[in-house]
């Protein structure tokens, strides 16, 4: 059995950036979508499914769409799980929004912390400084994620992520803000590009990188 799979959510309306395709925003020389896909690849995830219209045919992913489109992240998660043969389910599923400039570091942290979870835990998600869970930066046991998805009426259409995940035993790990900071607005995009430019101009010494 594969240890890890990944569901990447990239099909939202992006109303705060006038409907632009946020996953295709370039930050640090690659799109946010490519960053998420390659973070999943580097973690050894298989399958990797993007829930969105096809945005980049070059990525090593499969594509599905929630029905109807724009019916929310819970419906998107259900659509991805439905596309996977249950008999070949990975043990764990990364669930990631595709608007995270530091998705690579976030995924490394999630994967490293899986082994620290108690046996009865259903998953792990990162939290901001106030420990507020960021459900779409998480890793969850696939069998319990499927079970939760099966309880949602109408395939999860218009359901919240809280409705999908709130009954699961999920550990929330507070991390530095840059790991959970997303791109919701044009100002966020400008800031993310500025941070990426500063980081490339002054790469960290290996000893100063965040622990995995």
């Amino acid at each position: 059995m594969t240890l890890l799979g990944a569901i990447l959510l990239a099909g939202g309306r992006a109303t705060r950036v006038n409907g632009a395709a946020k996953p295709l925003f370039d930050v640090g020389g690659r799109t946010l979508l490519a960053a998420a896909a390659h973070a999943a690849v580097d973690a050894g995830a298989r399958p990797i499914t993007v829930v969105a219209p096809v945005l980049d045919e070059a990525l090593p992913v499969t594509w599905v769409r929630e029905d109807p489109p724009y019916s929310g992240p819970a419906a998107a998660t259900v659509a991805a799980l439905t596309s996977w043969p249950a008999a070949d389910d990975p043990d764990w599923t990364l669930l990631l929004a595709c608007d995270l400039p530091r998705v690579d570091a976030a995924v490394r942290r999630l994967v490293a912390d899986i082994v620290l979870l108690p046996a009865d835990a259903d998953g792990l998600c990162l939290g901001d400084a106030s420990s507020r869970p960021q459900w779409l930066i998480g890793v969850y046991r696939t069998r319990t994620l499927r079970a939760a998805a099966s309880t949602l009426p109408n395939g999860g259409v218009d359901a919240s992520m809280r409705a999908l995940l709130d009954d699961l035993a999920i550990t929330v790990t507070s991390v530095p803000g840059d790991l959970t900071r997303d791109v919701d607005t044009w100002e966020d995009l400008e800031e993310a590009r500025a941070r990426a430019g500063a980081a490339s101009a002054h790469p960290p010494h290996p000893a100063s990188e965040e622990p995995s």
Side-chain angles (χ1 to χ4, degrees):
M1 180 178 288
T2 305
L3 176 62
L4 189 68
I7 297 172
L8 312 181
L9 305 185
R13 292 184 185 276
T15 55
R16 297 178 69 186
V17 288
N18 309 111
K22 285 199 302 179
L24 296 182
F25 287 165
D26 185 289
V27 175
R30 62 181 178 178
T31 67
L32 295 173
L33 173 59
H38 288 295
V41 169
D42 290 346
R46 183 171 56 87
I48 303 172
T49 298
V50 181
V51 189
V54 177
L55 299 171
D56 184 347
E57 294 181 347
L59 294 177
V61 302
T62 58
W63 302 85
V64 300
R65 196 73 166 108
E66 74 276 24
D67 185 21
Y70 307 117
S71 50
T77 303
V78 172
L81 289 171
T82 300
S83 75
W84 291 0
D88 296 327
D89 267 349
D91 294 336
W92 295 91
T93 295
L94 284 165
L95 190 57
L96 299 169
C98 289
D99 59 359
L100 303 167
R102 292 296 314 282
V103 66
D104 49 354
V107 168
R108 288 196 300 270
R109 178 62 183 266
L110 289 168
V111 172
D113 283 1
I114 288 175
V115 297
L116 305 178
L117 292 177
D120 59 351
D122 294 321
L124 165 74
C125 73
L126 301 189
D128 59 20
S130 64
S131 297
R132 181 176 57 186
Q134 303 299 304
W135 304 117
L136 299 184
I137 318 175
V139 60
Y140 308 99
R141 291 190 192 275
T142 308
R143 58 180 172 80
T144 55
L145 191 61
R146 273 196 187 276
S150 71
T151 68
L152 294 178
N154 199 24
V157 170
D158 296 328
S160 66
M161 290 306 296
R162 179 177 292 277
L164 175 61
L165 299 173
D166 208 29
D167 288 337
L168 303 187
I170 297 172
T171 298
V172 180
T173 300
S174 292
V175 294
D178 62 331
L179 267 63
T180 60
R181 188 179 291 120
D182 58 9
V183 173
D184 274 339
T185 66
W186 297 115
E187 291 77 12
D188 293 340
L189 178 60
E190 291 176 6
E191 291 174 5
R193 286 173 170 169
R195 286 191 299 271
S200 63
H202 304 284
H205 187 279
S208 69
E209 292 180 344
E210 72 269 11
S212 61

